[in-house]
Amino acid sequence: MDTNATIRHNWQADEVLALFALPFNDLLFKAQSIHRQHFDPNQVQISTLLSIKTGGCAEDCAYCPQSAKFSTGVKAQKLMDKEEVMAEAAKAKAAGASRFCMGAAWREPKDRDIDKIAELIEGVKSLGLEACATLGMLTDTQAARLKSCGLDYYNHNLDTSEEYYDKIITTRTYQDRLDTLERVRTAGINVCCGGIVGMGEEEHDRAEMLRTLANMPSHPESVPINLLVQVDGTPLKGTNELDPFDFVRTIAVARIMLPKSFVRLSAGREAMNEQMQAMCFFAGANSIFYGEKLLTTPNPEADKDMALFSKLGISPLTLQVEKKDCAAAA
Ligand code: SAM
Ligand code: DTB
Ligand code: SF4
């Protein structure tokens, strides 16, 4: 449980809607003021993603190019070998990332998958990177095993509001997601949890998703806000695009409600110009995915991001990572 008085867990629906309804400049000023109380406004954390197991997923998440239920042209690939993953992690480290996030297109991992993932975590951490994984639903035992191998963050998103959820996914429930998040928290792994906007939801859905995150007993340490990447073949292809200002508003409200969390400007940057990304940083975003690919879709080139950082006077956050021997910890 957070103890700091500025950290609230009792947001009411109308209070959140009132934040969304503020004049744009008032909202951004409030968000930036809160941001400065907790963070250096000119530092942004950077994480690099790798899809370690791609496509062929049994779930029906309507946004996802990796679901086996849609024809999106994504080629299914088995879990990558440790050597290949290490080579990608070393590249990410050399390019300046501080965290390496491994994503698998699974509904949930099998116990024998966790043994392989444990080796990958150990390898990533030996390079001095923070390790993050997103593997779908977890059991208590799996979460504890990942923690014992030194996993720093687990990403598992709410994706949207509880009310809108069944328009997007039918193969697992909102409660399933909350249960996994609770298991990750109990295991002592940092929680990375956010969602996607631009899926045809209403403003009150974006408000409710943020309210669910902020009213958790502890705020997720990392909150990815993804703008839907519309992929051919997915049911959400052709959805009306979200007004860019409504995207920035979502970032600002997230910053206000989750003052100490890293708010990540996540998927969708390829479709944003530099001015919009700068506005998101002003609204309180202080983390990005870095490197030319997200999981299966493109992301801005690393050089382009570094040039943007330089124009804005932003520097990437660097950290010291403790190394851990997984075999000894298990
Ligand atoms: N299979 C695991 C799961 O669903 O938890 C892990 C990987 S899954 C691809 C991780 C997250 O990526 C999803 O929860 C969703 O928020 C995000 N995502 C997937 N496709 C996306 C898209 N087209 N646009 C934006 N975000 C997307
Ligand atoms: C998150 O919230 N966004 C990332 C990460 N967590 C795993 C994934 C974005 C995926 C975008 C679509 C794709 O590249 O396949
Ligand atoms: Fe599978 Fe994850 Fe994509 Fe859903 S978001 S279809 S669970 S890979």
Side-chain angles (χ1 to χ4, degrees):
M1 178 78 80
D2 296 310
T3 47
N4 188 323
T6 64
I7 306 292
R8 289 182 51 190
H9 301 273
N10 59 352
W11 288 90
Q12 303 298 308
D14 56 346
E15 290 180 288
V16 187
L17 290 172
L19 288 176
F20 273 97
L22 282 173
F24 191 71
N25 284 338
D26 290 348
L27 176 62
L28 259 63
F29 181 72
K30 192 177 171 73
Q32 174 69 197
S33 306
I34 289 176
H35 189 47
R36 281 167 185 261
Q37 288 169 23
H38 302 285
F39 291 102
D40 177 340
N42 302 311
Q43 275 201 333
V44 169
Q45 187 275 332
I46 62 180
S47 294
T48 292
L49 274 171
L50 177 68
S51 180
I52 56 168
K53 189 269 160 192
T54 305
C57 182
E59 299 288 273
D60 69 352
C61 312
Y63 48 76
C64 188
Q66 302 198 66
S67 167
K69 300 191 193 292
F70 321 133
S71 300
T72 62
V74 168
K75 218 173 109 228
Q77 283 168 337
K78 62 174 183 42
L79 185 59
M80 284 170 74
D81 290 336
K82 185 172 179 184
E83 290 64 37
E84 290 175 89
V85 175
M86 289 297 286
E88 293 301 320
K91 269 196 243 164
K93 167 86 180 165
S98 63
R99 190 178 308 157
F100 193 66
C101 180
M102 296 173 279
W106 285 322
R107 171 184 165 80
E108 62 220 325
K110 299 190 180 70
D111 286 343
R112 64 168 184 275
D113 296 323
I114 297 287
D115 292 337
K116 294 188 193 148
I117 301 292
E119 281 187 35
L120 300 182
I121 295 167
E122 189 190 14
V124 166
K125 297 213 61 170
S126 74
L127 298 175
L129 286 160
E130 286 184 314
C132 174
T134 179
L135 316 169
M137 294 186 285
L138 294 181
T139 64
D140 291 327
T141 327
Q142 290 173 336
R145 173 104 172 90
L146 291 172
K147 171 67 185 173
S148 75
C149 294
L151 185 70
D152 297 291
Y153 288 80
Y154 193 80
N155 168 243
H156 197 65
N157 289 336
L158 293 179
D159 282 348
T160 189
S161 67
E162 184 164 15
E163 195 189 338
Y164 197 62
Y165 184 85
D166 64 6
K167 311 271 183 314
I168 303 296
I169 299 146
T170 69
T171 47
R172 67 176 127 163
T173 65
Y174 212 67
Q175 190 58 48
D176 288 333
R177 288 185 185 256
L178 295 170
D179 291 347
T180 289
L181 290 163
E182 175 64 31
R183 290 179 186 129
V184 171
R185 178 59 78 204
T186 304
I189 302 170
N190 290 311
V191 173
C192 173
C193 180
I196 312 177
V197 299
M199 299 196 294
E201 77 287 343
E202 303 283 342
E203 187 169 88
H204 65 85
D205 294 303
R206 296 188 281 280
E208 281 301 288
M209 178 180 85
L210 294 179
R211 195 160 79 94
T212 305
L213 292 170
N215 287 351
M216 286 174 173
S218 297
H219 289 174
E221 283 73 13
S222 172
V223 179
I225 305 293
N226 296 276
L227 176 63
L228 174 69
V229 178
Q230 296 201 12
V231 178
D232 285 344
T234 58
L236 292 186
K237 174 72 187 180
T239 305
N240 283 342
E241 279 178 22
L242 186 69
D243 184 305
F245 294 114
D246 288 333
F247 183 82
V248 181
R249 274 193 180 89
T250 309
I251 297 271
V253 176
R255 166 51 63 226
I256 292 166
M257 297 176 72
L258 300 151
K260 289 188 169 183
S261 305
F262 279 85
V263 174
R264 183 172 309 118
L265 171 55
S266 302
R269 288 197 302 117
E270 190 68 339
M272 296 177 197
N273 64 22
E274 292 192 332
Q275 296 86 328
M276 178 167 170
Q277 294 182 60
M279 213 179 267
C280 290
F281 294 134
F282 188 75
N286 60 347
S287 169
I288 58 167
F289 285 124
Y290 174 69
E292 74 261 23
K293 208 159 156 207
L294 291 164
L295 292 173
T296 66
T297 65
N299 196 41
E301 298 286 336
D303 292 357
K304 223 171 137 197
D305 280 340
M306 283 304 152
L308 176 60
F309 276 17
S310 166
K311 282 194 232 184
L312 301 177
I314 288 174
S315 51
L317 188 73
T318 49
L319 19 95
Q320 293 297 316
V321 180
E322 200 191 312
K323 295 184 184 172
K324 197 160 180 175
D325 178 353
C326 185

Coordinates of all heavy atoms in Angstrom, one line a residue, residues 57 59 61 63-64 66-67 105-106 172, ligand 3:
C57 N -1.3 -17.1 -31.6 CA -1.9 -17.1 -30.2 C -3.4 -17.5 -30.3 O -4.1 -17.1 -31.2 CB -1.7 -15.7 -29.7 SG -2.4 -15.5 -28.0
E59 N -5.8 -16.5 -28.3 CA -6.7 -15.5 -27.8 C -7.3 -14.7 -29.0 O -6.7 -14.7 -30.1 CB -6.0 -14.5 -26.8 CG -5.4 -15.2 -25.6 CD -6.5 -15.6 -24.6 OE1 -6.9 -14.8 -23.8 OE2 -7.0 -16.7 -24.7
C61 N -7.9 -11.1 -29.0 CA -7.8 -9.7 -28.7 C -7.9 -9.0 -30.1 O -7.0 -9.2 -31.0 CB -6.4 -9.4 -28.1 SG -6.1 -10.5 -26.7
Y63 N -7.4 -6.2 -31.3 CA -6.3 -5.3 -31.8 C -5.1 -6.0 -32.3 O -4.2 -5.4 -32.9 CB -5.9 -4.3 -30.7 CG -5.6 -5.0 -29.4 CD1 -4.4 -5.7 -29.2 CD2 -6.5 -5.1 -28.4 CE1 -4.2 -6.4 -28.0 CE2 -6.3 -5.7 -27.2 CZ -5.1 -6.4 -27.0 OH -4.8 -7.1 -25.9
C64 N -5.0 -7.3 -32.0 CA -3.7 -8.0 -32.1 C -3.3 -8.7 -33.4 O -4.0 -9.6 -33.7 CB -3.5 -8.9 -30.9 SG -1.8 -9.5 -30.7
Q66 N -1.2 -10.8 -33.7 CA -0.6 -12.2 -33.4 C -1.6 -13.2 -33.0 O -1.3 -14.4 -32.8 CB 0.4 -12.1 -32.2 CG 1.5 -11.1 -32.5 CD 2.7 -11.3 -31.5 OE1 3.3 -12.3 -31.6 NE2 2.9 -10.3 -30.6
S67 N -2.9 -12.8 -33.1 CA -4.0 -13.8 -32.8 C -4.1 -14.8 -34.0 O -4.1 -14.3 -35.1 CB -5.3 -13.1 -32.6 OG -6.3 -14.0 -32.6
A105 N 3.6 -14.4 -27.5 CA 2.2 -14.5 -27.9 C 1.6 -15.7 -27.3 O 1.2 -16.7 -28.0 CB 2.1 -14.4 -29.4
W106 N 1.4 -15.7 -26.0 CA 0.8 -16.8 -25.3 C -0.4 -16.3 -24.6 O -0.4 -15.2 -24.1 CB 1.7 -17.4 -24.2 CG 2.9 -18.2 -24.7 CD1 2.8 -19.1 -25.7 CD2 4.2 -18.2 -24.2 NE1 4.1 -19.7 -25.9 CE2 4.9 -19.2 -24.9 CE3 4.8 -17.6 -23.2 CZ2 6.2 -19.5 -24.7 CZ3 6.2 -17.9 -22.9 CH2 6.9 -18.8 -23.7
R172 N -10.8 -14.3 -22.5 CA -10.4 -14.2 -21.0 C -11.1 -13.0 -20.5 O -11.4 -12.0 -21.2 CB -8.9 -14.3 -20.8 CG -8.2 -13.1 -21.3 CD -6.8 -13.1 -20.9 NE -5.9 -12.9 -22.1 CZ -4.6 -12.6 -22.1 NH1 -4.0 -12.5 -20.9 NH2 -4.0 -12.4 -23.2
Ligands
SF4_3 FE1 -2.4 -13.2 -27.8 FE2 -1.4 -11.3 -26.3 FE3 -2.1 -10.8 -28.8 FE4 -4.0 -11.2 -27.0 S1 -2.5 -9.5 -27.1 S2 -3.9 -12.2 -29.1 S3 -3.0 -12.7 -25.7 S4 -0.5 -12.1 -28.1

